[in-house]
Amino acid sequence: MSLLETDLGAARHWSRVGDGYEVTKKPRNLDRATLPEIAFAAMDAIPQDGTYMPAFALKAPSAIASGTYFERGDLLIGKITPSFENGKQALVQNLDADFGYATTEVIPLHPRTEEHDPRFLFFYLLHPDVRSYVAERMEGSTGRQRVPENVLLDLSIPAFRQQEQRRVADCLEMIQKARAAEMNCERLAQDLKRAAMRALFTKGLRSEAQKDTKIGPVPDSWNVVRLDECAKVVSTRMSYSELEALENEHNEDAISVLGIKVADMNLDGNEIRLQSAFLEKTVARSVVTHRCAPPRTIIFPKRGAAIATNKKRLSTGWTAFDPNVIGVLAGDDLDQDFLFQWFQAFDLRTITEPGPTPQLNKKNLDPLVIPVPPTLEEQREIVAVFDAIDRKIDLHRRKRTVLDELFKALLHKLMTGEIRVADLDLSALEPVKETEVAA
């Protein structure tokens, strides 16, 4: 059942957004020229990840030819497709001046009285049922549809009292802040990974002297070799479509094979694992070992716009590729995980054949020159450093995913009254004090 069809019970009722909010209008006597600069928020500056503040740019009044007037405390709602559907909205909590300007493609809403907490409406508008309801009532030509102001003002909203609005908003805000903290930690860990790559692929772990090579400085004991001298580029003799057409084998010799499409490169994490998102079939072992790519194959896009994403993944099982995917397998003297980490630092676009449909083939990959530590032991020591950072990145990513799911669940249950804030214990989400960190 949609949120908007929910019976809130005898003690609660539905109200209209317009009963508590109004569209902010520019005062007739406003003189912008009295200010040296005015905060301006373009559509690109309006967040869509549930954070409040837009990224303001300061502009001279004469530089603002058109825009939507708003005031401190306003909720800015992106009204054009797909901005509205994507959740583009902002809550102007902090502003040096009393007002600012934004793109003409937002609707500014201001609470009529202090009894209405704009954070409550901010979170309410993030509910997928609410967005779907409003999106169905957008007007205009295809691709340029917009949300009419009256649709927002007539939108039903639970008529919670001020204190309950504040409690619900505080609860959801706490989850969003925890999520933002995990995202920040993930970004910092990714920055650390990039710094570690720059250092380890040029200086190594042994603090030894460096030598200049065609790819820059590397440790003196390392070799610099072409990819085709230490690895091989592979496709699969069983195609994705052929695997898709096969019937599952049902015998002790059959093993699982994943069908990998180029879209699978966009999943989080470094590895492609068995999960419902993938095509999976059980195939006779004798067929698999001759026609499929083995576990731990490095996989990345070879054709089209997907190359620009620069994604690389490691398979965890036997795989069959679609025509837009290519793989690489290390030789006996090169650790596969070391090669994968090196590829993580390499920009595939630098070797792509240009054209309407970018291409990346074996002939582009074979001449690649890579730095190789002299022993598998040293290669694996370097991999261990990267793995530790990757585990940290994955931990924060998984925590963020859990918080996303918690937010979605509580957003619905708190708005319907199925759960009350008093019933929740969110103490685990409270920020850690500096003294606790030091301890």
Side-chain angles (χ1 to χ4, degrees), residues 86-289:
N86 292 340
K88 269 190 170 288
Q89 60 182 39
L91 181 58
V92 185
Q93 293 180 310
N94 303 308
L95 193 66
D96 291 339
D98 293 330
F99 69 91
Y101 276 80
T103 168
T104 56
E105 300 296 356
V106 299
I107 298 174
L109 293 181
H110 196 86
R112 293 181 182 275
T113 69
E114 293 183 357
E115 294 180 2
H116 299 282
D117 190 327
R119 297 177 304 155
F120 181 81
L121 177 58
F122 178 92
F123 291 124
Y124 181 71
L125 290 173
L126 291 178
H127 195 291
D129 291 347
V130 175
R131 292 223 159 246
S132 177
Y133 176 87
V134 174
E136 290 173 358
R137 288 156 178 79
M138 297 174 82
E139 298 177 354
S141 59
T142 303
R144 301 296 294 175
Q145 292 186 314
R146 292 174 172 84
V147 177
E149 291 181 358
N150 67 291
V151 171
L152 277 181
L153 296 176
D154 289 338
L155 177 67
S156 297
I157 186 171
F160 290 1
R161 294 182 178 179
Q162 180 185 18
Q163 186 178 36
E164 191 169 8
Q165 288 183 40
R166 184 178 297 115
R167 287 174 176 172
V168 169
D170 286 344
C171 174
L172 295 173
E173 184 180 90
M174 181 182 294
I175 298 173
Q176 290 294 71
K177 286 182 176 179
R179 177 183 179 276
E182 293 300 332
M183 288 181 65
N184 186 54
C185 289
E186 184 181 340
R187 283 193 293 266
L188 291 174
Q190 289 169 339
D191 290 343
L192 175 62
K193 174 77 177 287
R194 285 188 284 269
M197 284 179 164
R198 288 192 296 270
L200 292 178
F201 287 134
T202 58
K203 300 179 181 178
L205 286 170
R206 307 286 193 248
S207 299
E208 60 184 285
Q210 292 175 289
K211 61 184 178 184
D212 289 326
T213 70
K214 62 180 69 176
I215 60 171
V218 301
D220 192 56
S221 65
W222 286 26
N223 301 311
V224 176
V225 298
R226 283 171 50 117
L227 182 68
D228 58 3
E229 295 175 1
C230 59
K232 63 179 179 179
V233 178
V234 298
S235 294
T236 56
R237 294 172 59 196
M238 177 181 290
S239 68
Y240 182 95
S241 57
E242 185 179 356
L243 178 68
E244 192 174 29
L246 287 178
E247 295 291 333
N248 281 306
E249 295 275 356
H250 298 287
N251 57 69
E252 294 182 358
D253 189 52
I255 57 177
S256 292
V257 177
L258 289 180
I260 303 299
K261 305 189 302 295
V262 70
D264 298 329
M265 300 296 102
N266 294 324
L267 296 173
D268 284 340
N270 288 335
E271 296 184 337
I272 293 178
R273 298 179 175 274
L274 285 168
Q275 54 181 283
S276 59
F278 297 114
L279 168 67
E280 179 189 358
K281 294 289 181 72
T282 51
V283 184
R285 183 179 298 274
S286 59
V287 174
V288 172
T289 55

Side-chain angles (χ1 to χ4, degrees), residues 24-32 69-71 99 101:
T24 303
K25 301 297 183 183
K26 184 183 71 170
R28 291 185 178 180
N29 59 352
L30 178 69
D31 184 5
R32 300 189 316 190
Y69 171 88
F70 67 84
E71 296 176 352
F99 69 91
Y101 276 80

